[in-house]
Amino acid sequence: MADIHPATATPILAEPQVIRRADYRPPDWWVKTVALEFDLDLSATKVSATLEIERNGEHDRPLRLDCDGVLPLTLTIDGMAANWRHEGDQIAIDISAPTATVHLTTTIAPDTNTQLMGLFASNGMLCTQCEAEGFRRIIPFVDRPDNMAVYEVLLRADKTRFPVLLANGALVDSGDLEDGRHYARWHDPHPKPSYLFALVAGDLVATRDHFTTRSGAPVDLAIYVRAGDEGRTAHAMQALKASMAWDERVYGLEYDLPVFNIVAVSDFNMGAMENKGLNIFNSRYILADPDTATDYDYDAIEGVVAHEYFHNWSGNRVTCRDWFQLSLKEGFTVYRDQCFSADMGSEAVKRIEDVRMLRATQFPEDAGPLAHPIRPDSYMEISNFYTSTIYNKGAEVIRMMATMAGPERFRAGSDLYFQRHDGEAATCEQFVRAMEDGAGLDLGQFRHWYEQAGTPQVQARLEHDADSATATLHLRQRFSPTPGQPDKPLMPIPLRTALIDRDMKAHRGEQLVMLAQAEQSVTFTGFARPPVLSINRGFSAPVTMDVARRSGDLLFLVRHDDDPFARYEALQQLVIDRLIADIGEEGAASERAAGLEDIVSVFGDLVSDQRLDDSMRTEILSLPTEAFLGEQMLIVRPEAIHSARRALRKAIGTRLLDQWRIVHERASAVHYSLSREARGARKIKSLALGYIASSEAPDAGKIAFAQFASADNMTDRQGAMMVLASMAGDERESALDSFYNRYQGNALVIDKWFSLQTSSAHPKVYEQTLELIQHKDFTLTNPNRVRALYWPFVSNQAEFHHASGRGYRLLTDLVLRLDPVNPQTTARFIAPLGRWRRFDEARAAMMRGCLEQILAQPGLSKDTTEQVMKSLE
Ligand code: ARG
Ligand code: ZN
């Protein structure tokens, strides 16, 4: 890999080391117990650690401790001062006894920790993030997930500045010290890896509640936020209690400590973190009230709270042996939180949302230079592997096992898994084996889902024979090469399938067809007339489907399929085929494309279809994004996609204008509540408003402004704002100003204000984005703000891929400025440039040029280097 970069003169000096799954070895020394003491201070926190260690097996290798920016100031072994030496990112200490007590001290500076890994400061409070490798930024340690230890933590701090002192487990002691200081001692009886360690110190306010487990154990619940935010924690608390009850009911899993604490922090690299007994959350996944959070935010909070709670078993009680097994906890936990959210709301809508997310983030990843299996074989920087593949494709892989096993057998498999591996650091292979033994599945061939990257492509064709009254389903699977994997073995692909009778408009029952060979045919009897094929119902397999089906059959499925996902899918396919034809692409899609009349007419039917609730109606009637349309093309043509989609929106808006107006009025009459009906009404209201605006009706701006001005909740306000942000005129400016003034000081809503502008379809969005970068509220040190401004811009395909290359330069500029501040957040922004192979030569050259410019930056982080190198390969 050293010469991957011949085009520039700058040699890559210290190339990041590649870590391989095959090289796994247990640690030479175990740390069995950890006693930590912290004298907390924003700029100089003193840390002391006492580690009881034990030699693992017969060897004379030294104790090696991982360090990232910290070194011991003092170090003793069994009370005697000891020497240590550097070995790469570790320090090594020779020890002759089989067990020893290691004592070390160090000092760290949380307030200069802009990476937000380890111990860092946020608005005057202190908190930690240790997954994956943050603990080594606090003290030198055997910082790997298979080293599980019991922790006791003593926190000391100034009582006025840090009245709240929290760590994992339960509080065992607390009291006052001299000089206005106080202390708190926490003990966590469950052995855990260092990535689950956490502490928090700050001036925080708690919302409290209680939960009693099924076996009668009381649990004190608390959510800690900054003063002033305590009125926005109710929804998160409710989600927590619902999650606790759900895990008992559905998986038989109970909580295992007397306290469960959650802390919200506004500077955070990711969504949230499942530290044992002390979850730390990005405040955006905790704080909500109707005035500041959308219905979508409410759902995201419920999902993330559940996700982190579920990790207590799938992640903490059974953790990962090494980071290659990350999907063991993440894929499974995402699957669990998806099922939970489906149970709390609408299963159909949740499935559509999850599939849309998978297609928007994971499919492109799997088709590009950063593709990797859900259990990767190698990495340079593990932070780069908290990906949609590990999480979302990982969840799909678990879901396929659940589909194949059925609910009872799947539960038997999960019971066996938790029973066998409780208290252990396990592997994906062990999960699969527990599923085989517990659920009675043969997963021999299925293991390939863990091994290979890339989205399988399935071709399906239904052949009818009138003489024998049979319908034969012909299936084929294909794979495209991905980095390091030119050829791939065949995979078992579970396809929920139904054949629908054209007259009865019904089927005789669904079948699970397992496609396991390269080509396979299944014959169904008793079909005098050709039925309509409904396949991959509920998106039972994470594949792309190419089904030979005429547009008439798709229209039939939109109207009559009893699987809600399949209905959604059929209309999406109709729209995609139509747009691909409009764009002027040749191929099967264009040939079978339905006429505009048919599409408009089916939209018209669905707007008032009584069988649909408004939430599902909105899903079905939303057009695919420009980016998703780009995914359907070999070479993406941003301008053509943009104008074709815009024209179709305009046609649907104009032709159905009266209906959209009626829907908008009907939905506007529904009062605010969190009921399903009221939420559905808000969803369809803003969709209708969008179509009214697309029709360019002269009063569209007025209607949008009226929705904005009269809104008594954020869903309506933001829905109107999104429409206004793309329009020209005074209404836009005055709405944006009033939105800003109203919410100045509320960071989460100001994030929305940034996103609304950079995601808009306004012709001047680029210029507006440049201005926003200079805005006094923009800062590189808050990841939420950075993402709020840049991510919608980068996802705005026509803008980011502007032919001049200005979008690429805007992103490159961000990467170069942000990398020294926060490499983990920076590295996430490389993927959009890495998609250069999918664009025309001129764009591809500019995108590559940007990647090369980034790679030439002296001191570029390991995180960003890995992503750029892979993107250029
Ligand atoms: N385990 C956390 C979660 O998914 C996320 C931690 C992400 N860590 C990271 N280095 N990106 O619930
Ligand atoms: Zn997780």
Side-chain angles (χ1 to χ4, degrees):
M1 255 187 264
D3 58 350
I4 99 173
H5 200 227
T8 56
T10 323
I12 301 154
L13 293 174
E15 209 170 274
Q17 215 191 318
V18 176
I19 323 274
R20 288 175 208 286
R21 180 162 61 87
D23 293 344
Y24 173 82
R25 273 199 317 142
D28 289 335
W29 289 83
W30 299 110
V31 181
K32 305 297 276 189
T33 68
V34 183
L36 294 169
E37 291 186 29
F38 288 85
D39 281 294
L40 293 160
D41 181 79
L42 288 174
S43 57
T45 288
K46 289 190 196 142
V47 193
S48 105
T50 308
L51 317 176
E52 299 298 339
I53 63 162
E54 194 179 290
R55 192 186 302 269
N56 182 15
E58 289 287 310
H59 65 78
D60 54 9
R61 290 185 290 275
L63 169 69
R64 289 197 176 84
L65 301 176
D66 303 294
C67 309
D68 179 1
V70 294
L71 290 171
L73 291 174
T74 65
L75 175 73
T76 65
I77 305 292
D78 292 327
M80 310 280 290
N83 288 325
W84 50 267
R85 56 186 182 276
H86 282 281
E87 286 186 3
D89 298 338
Q90 296 179 316
I91 58 167
I93 307 140
D94 294 314
I95 297 175
S96 46
T99 63
T101 303
V102 180
H103 181 80
L104 54 88
T105 62
T106 190
T107 300
I108 49 184
D111 62 355
T112 58
N113 183 357
T114 58
Q115 292 186 32
L116 311 180
M117 287 297 284
L119 179 68
F120 61 92
S122 172
N123 290 312
M125 71 183 268
L126 290 169
C127 74
T128 53
Q129 170 58 35
C130 293
E131 185 178 4
E133 296 178 337
F135 195 76
R136 64 187 64 183
R137 295 167 57 78
I138 299 174
I139 57 156
F141 197 70
V142 181
D143 188 16
R144 37 188 288 166
D146 55 355
N147 186 104
M148 296 168 80
V150 172
Y151 285 66
E152 176 141 313
V153 181
L154 177 61
L155 304 172
R156 284 185 292 257
D158 182 88
K159 195 171 178 176
T160 338
R161 298 175 78 178
F162 305 103
V164 173
L165 300 174
L166 306 172
N168 312 88
L171 182 68
V172 289
D173 186 20
S174 64
D176 287 337
L177 299 166
E178 282 167 15
D179 302 335
R181 293 167 69 76
H182 69 148
Y183 74 94
R185 186 187 295 277
W186 291 79
H187 177 74
D188 178 4
H190 298 280
K192 64 170 176 285
S194 48
Y195 81 87
L196 291 174
F197 167 81
L199 77 79
V200 170
D203 188 359
L204 301 166
V205 187
T207 309
R208 296 182 191 277
D209 211 322
H210 300 278
F211 184 84
T212 306
T213 68
R214 207 168 50 163
S215 44
V219 186
D220 289 329
L221 312 176
I223 299 180
Y224 289 86
V225 298
R226 283 159 67 192
D229 285 339
E230 61 273 24
R232 295 206 275 266
T233 56
H235 182 64
M237 184 62 89
Q238 203 184 317
L240 174 60
K241 290 191 289 178
S243 312
M244 296 176 87
W246 191 89
D247 219 13
E248 293 185 348
R249 184 164 56 77
V250 180
Y251 282 85
L253 299 172
E254 288 183 34
Y255 188 59
D256 53 4
L257 281 169
V259 273
F260 190 88
N261 286 324
I262 288 180
V263 177
V265 33
S266 39
D267 301 289
F268 208 61
N269 278 337
M270 46 245 146
M273 180 62 212
E274 68 265 23
N275 318 297
K276 185 80 188 186
L278 178 54
N279 286 1
I280 298 181
F281 272 64
N282 187 324
S283 51
R284 64 179 299 195
Y285 293 115
I286 291 294
L287 302 178
D289 64 17
D291 187 53
T292 57
T294 61
D295 294 333
Y296 183 84
D297 295 329
Y298 272 74
D299 285 347
I301 288 168
E302 183 177 74
V304 178
V305 168
H307 179 96
E308 305 310 332
Y309 176 72
F310 295 157
H311 268 316
N312 189 58
W313 278 93
S314 49
N316 301 2
R317 290 289 289 253
V318 183
T319 191
C320 300
R321 185 192 74 174
D322 55 69
W323 292 120
F324 297 103
Q325 319 299 328
L326 183 57
S327 198
L328 174 72
K329 72 178 178 84
E330 295 305 345
F332 188 23
T333 304
V334 170
Y335 173 68
R336 278 150 55 69
D337 84 57
Q338 289 178 347
C339 295
F340 166 78
S341 294
D343 276 2
M344 296 294 118
S346 154
E347 187 183 350
V349 169
K350 178 64 180 156
R351 190 64 189 135
I352 291 171
E353 287 171 351
D354 290 339
V355 173
R356 187 187 294 130
M357 167 74 88
L358 185 82
R359 285 172 166 163
T361 59
Q362 200 278 323
F363 279 20
E365 183 167 272
D366 231 354
L370 302 175
H372 53 277
I374 66 167
R375 182 183 56 204
D377 294 316
S378 67
Y379 61 77
M380 296 178 201
E381 169 52 62
I382 185 56
S383 293
N384 287 332
F385 283 78
Y386 287 76
T387 59
S388 181
T389 296
I390 302 289
Y391 278 66
N392 302 85
K393 186 176 182 179
E396 294 300 322
V397 170
I398 305 290
R399 183 181 292 269
M400 284 190 284
M401 289 188 253
T403 302
M404 293 186 292
E408 280 93 45
R409 285 164 56 202
F410 182 73
R411 170 67 195 273
S414 81
D415 283 354
L416 185 62
Y417 168 69
F418 287 118
Q419 190 190 312
R420 267 189 193 165
H421 300 293
D422 188 10
E424 288 180 12
T427 61
C428 295
E429 173 56 26
Q430 287 173 320
F431 182 90
V432 173
R433 236 177 279 150
M435 273 297 150
E436 285 188 315
D437 298 346
L441 292 171
D442 175 358
L443 297 170
Q445 189 192 5
F446 190 84
R447 282 173 172 75
H448 295 317
W449 280 102
Y450 282 88
E451 290 155 9
Q452 68 185 45
T455 307
Q457 298 142 38
V458 175
Q459 292 176 353
R461 179 170 62 84
L462 192 67
E463 188 186 32
H464 180 254
D465 181 54
D467 294 340
S468 58
T470 56
T472 302
L473 175 61
H474 299 286
L475 295 168
R476 262 171 79 168
Q477 57 172 302
R478 295 196 317 121
F479 303 92
S480 303
T482 51
Q485 296 185 333
D487 309 301
K488 295 172 194 258
L490 298 168
M491 300 223 272
I493 299 173
L495 298 166
R496 286 173 47 198
T497 304
L499 302 183
I500 306 181
D501 183 276
R502 280 171 209 272
D503 298 325
M504 308 287 289
K505 303 182 173 52
H507 57 82
R508 292 180 231 144
E510 187 183 280
Q511 292 206 16
L512 187 66
V513 174
M514 290 299 305
L515 168 61
Q517 292 143 35
E519 292 187 23
Q520 206 170 311
S521 299
V522 194
T523 297
F524 302 85
T525 54
F527 287 96
R529 281 171 318 240
V532 181
L533 173 63
S534 170
I535 192 166
N536 206 20
R537 292 155 67 86
F539 204 70
S540 59
V543 300
T544 58
M545 294 292 307
D546 177 3
V547 188
R549 231 169 1 194
R550 287 166 309 146
S551 63
D553 286 356
L554 287 170
L555 287 162
F556 176 93
L557 292 173
V558 174
R559 295 204 156 94
H560 306 298
D561 202 319
D562 62 332
D563 179 63
F565 180 82
R567 286 186 84 181
Y568 160 83
E569 190 77 332
L571 186 53
Q572 292 291 303
Q573 194 62 57
L574 278 164
V575 168
I576 291 167
D577 291 348
R578 180 67 255 151
L579 287 168
I580 296 291
D582 292 344
I583 290 162
E585 295 282 295
E586 286 173 9
S590 292
E591 280 159 30
R592 67 172 174 241
L596 180 62
E597 290 310 318
D598 285 332
I599 290 181
V600 169
S601 121
V602 80
F603 265 72
D605 294 349
L606 293 170
V607 176
S608 50
D609 186 331
Q610 297 295 325
R611 291 177 303 166
L612 291 172
D613 66 42
D614 279 333
S615 177
M616 186 67 190
R617 191 189 317 286
T618 310
E619 297 296 339
I620 294 199
L621 298 179
S622 301
L623 296 188
T625 63
E626 292 179 26
F628 186 66
L629 291 162
E631 283 297 303
Q632 316 306 309
M633 301 165 68
L634 226 47
I635 297 295
V636 184
R637 290 161 52 201
E639 297 93 346
I641 293 172
H642 183 72
S643 46
R645 186 175 179 280
R646 205 187 156 94
L648 180 62
R649 266 185 76 85
K650 184 171 179 185
I652 296 171
T654 312
R655 308 275 191 101
L656 303 174
L657 184 56
D658 293 342
Q659 275 177 277
W660 294 123
R661 287 185 192 277
I662 291 167
V663 169
H664 189 263
E665 267 173 47
R666 163 174 75 74
S668 300
V670 179
H671 288 295
Y672 182 86
S673 84
L674 287 172
S675 74
R676 229 198 248 206
E677 292 67 33
R679 295 178 45 140
R682 290 193 286 281
K683 215 165 139 181
I684 195 76
K685 187 196 302 181
S686 289
L687 183 86
L689 179 66
Y691 278 114
I692 295 171
S694 297
S695 79
E696 293 170 22
D699 58 346
K702 248 175 53 201
I703 301 173
F705 194 81
Q707 177 176 323
F708 174 76
S710 67
D712 62 358
N713 65 82
M714 182 51 79
T715 306
D716 288 347
R717 198 171 287 126
Q718 176 175 294
M721 208 50 259
M722 275 167 78
V723 170
L724 287 167
S726 298
M727 299 175 111
D730 298 345
E731 279 136 349
R732 174 183 195 276
E733 303 313 317
S734 98
L736 277 170
D737 287 349
S738 103
F739 190 96
Y740 179 82
N741 293 330
R742 176 176 182 141
Y743 292 111
Q744 215 172 346
N746 183 325
L748 295 176
V749 188
I750 295 301
D751 287 342
K752 294 183 193 299
W753 182 80
F754 277 94
S755 297
L756 279 162
Q757 298 175 74
T758 59
S759 64
S760 86
H762 194 281
K764 289 254 173 294
V765 59
Y766 171 74
E767 290 78 3
Q768 290 159 359
T769 301
L770 288 183
E771 277 176 35
L772 288 171
I773 294 171
Q774 303 301 325
H775 193 280
K776 69 173 174 50
D777 290 341
F778 181 71
T779 168
L780 288 175
T781 56
N782 179 265
N784 284 1
R785 189 57 48 86
V786 170
R787 286 187 289 254
L789 190 155
Y790 282 94
W791 205 250
F793 179 83
V794 168
S795 318
N796 199 334
Q797 183 166 274
E799 279 306 323
F800 178 58
H801 293 282
H802 190 273
S804 65
R806 65 190 191 185
Y808 308 143
R809 290 194 292 274
L810 189 146
L811 179 62
T812 303
D813 181 57
L814 167 72
V815 167
L816 295 176
R817 290 193 303 139
L818 186 62
D819 190 65
V821 178
N822 186 332
Q824 212 180 95
T825 299
T826 308
R828 304 253 151 185
F829 283 98
I830 300 302
L833 287 169
R835 299 186 62 242
W836 56 269
R837 281 181 191 78
R838 299 295 301 278
F839 290 83
D840 56 81
E841 269 174 49
R843 284 185 170 92
M846 289 189 287
M847 292 165 86
R848 283 186 59 98
C850 287
L851 288 166
E852 285 166 1
Q853 186 191 342
I854 293 167
L855 197 57
Q857 171 93 337
L860 195 69
S861 69
K862 183 159 75 149
D863 309 58
T864 306
T865 302
E866 174 173 32
Q867 302 304 74
V868 175
M869 283 172 63
K870 288 182 174 170
S871 298
L872 282 167
E873 256 165 45

